[in-house]
Amino acid sequence: MNVRRMSSIGAAAVAVLALAGCGGASEGVEQPAAASSASAAAATTTTTVAPAPTAPGTTTAPGTTTTTAPAPESAPTTLADVQFERNESYYFTSPDGGFRCGIVKLPSRTEAGCEGATDPVPPRPENCMVNWGNGIRVQDAGPAEFMCSGGSVYTSGGDDPVLPSGSRLSKLGYTCETTDADVTCANDATGHGFTIAAGSNTTF
């Protein structure tokens, strides 16, 4: 009886010690899963940086350069902005102011011409009894010729606008062009015309 009781007590004591040992071991062991989670949380912390503000109306993208186009300049004056027409004819002044010119519609014909002082002038023909050589004209047919007239022909009666140097006026089947020094007018159909300047002239 005593031996069995002692054996039972010893077995019970061993069991109690074994249980106590297991509990102590579990309390002292680090939790690798928990520690890994904490480390991962610390490693995944990020910082968001707001992009620098841009000027209104512009956009930027990584690796790109934004350029702003300059404001458009005002458009130059064109022939469409100048009124040459008077009573179905077209009048203008040369850039140097030395010649009054026109592309004129008359009852029986159209013609283009310029009047003003030019040199040289051919001899006066016998059939010209009024002013001679004060300009050149080209008509519907034939080559250009010097004018024999009793007064001004290529003017609207007012201050006619300047045809700017390097410009072209094409009306009624004639085309006139200007440079700083001269004016050239020609019949578009025949190719006949003239170039006139203060110190030179030619007809063709």
Side-chain angles (χ1 to χ4, degrees), residues 20-42:
C22 290
S26 64
E27 290 176 0
V29 174
E30 295 181 0
Q31 304 296 322
S36 298
S37 298
S39 299

Side-chain angles (χ1 to χ4, degrees), residues 57-144:
T58 61
T59 57
T60 58
T64 62
T65 302
T66 302
T67 58
T68 303
E73 298 180 358
S74 57
T77 301
T78 63
L79 293 183
D81 299 325
V82 181
Q83 184 70 10
F84 295 95
E85 193 271 335
R86 299 288 188 278
N87 299 323
E88 300 183 344
S89 296
Y90 299 83
Y91 301 95
F92 64 91
T93 303
S94 64
D96 64 1
F99 296 94
R100 292 171 296 178
C101 305
I103 301 174
V104 181
K105 183 177 181 180
L106 300 172
S108 61
R109 67 182 187 276
T110 57
E111 61 183 52
C114 292
E115 53 192 345
T118 183
D119 186 69
V121 175
R124 179 193 298 268
E126 295 181 358
N127 62 350
C128 181
M129 300 300 174
V130 290
N131 296 329
W132 167 251
N134 60 335
I136 305 175
R137 74 178 74 186
V138 59
Q139 300 179 353
D140 292 333

Side-chain angles (χ1 to χ4, degrees), residues 102-187:
I103 301 174
V104 181
K105 183 177 181 180
L106 300 172
S108 61
R109 67 182 187 276
T110 57
E111 61 183 52
C114 292
E115 53 192 345
T118 183
D119 186 69
V121 175
R124 179 193 298 268
E126 295 181 358
N127 62 350
C128 181
M129 300 300 174
V130 290
N131 296 329
W132 167 251
N134 60 335
I136 305 175
R137 74 178 74 186
V138 59
Q139 300 179 353
D140 292 333
E145 58 187 7
F146 276 81
M147 293 171 54
C148 176
S149 63
S152 296
V153 177
Y154 303 115
T155 177
S156 66
D159 293 329
D160 297 317
V162 171
L163 183 62
S165 178
S167 299
R168 174 183 297 176
L169 181 64
S170 293
K171 298 292 181 181
L172 305 177
Y174 294 83
T175 297
C176 293
E177 299 178 86
T178 59
T179 69
D180 290 336
D182 59 37
V183 181
T184 299
C185 292
N187 182 312

Side-chain angles (χ1 to χ4, degrees), residues 40-62:
T44 56
T45 301
T46 59
T47 303
T48 302
V49 179
T54 58
T58 61
T59 57
T60 58

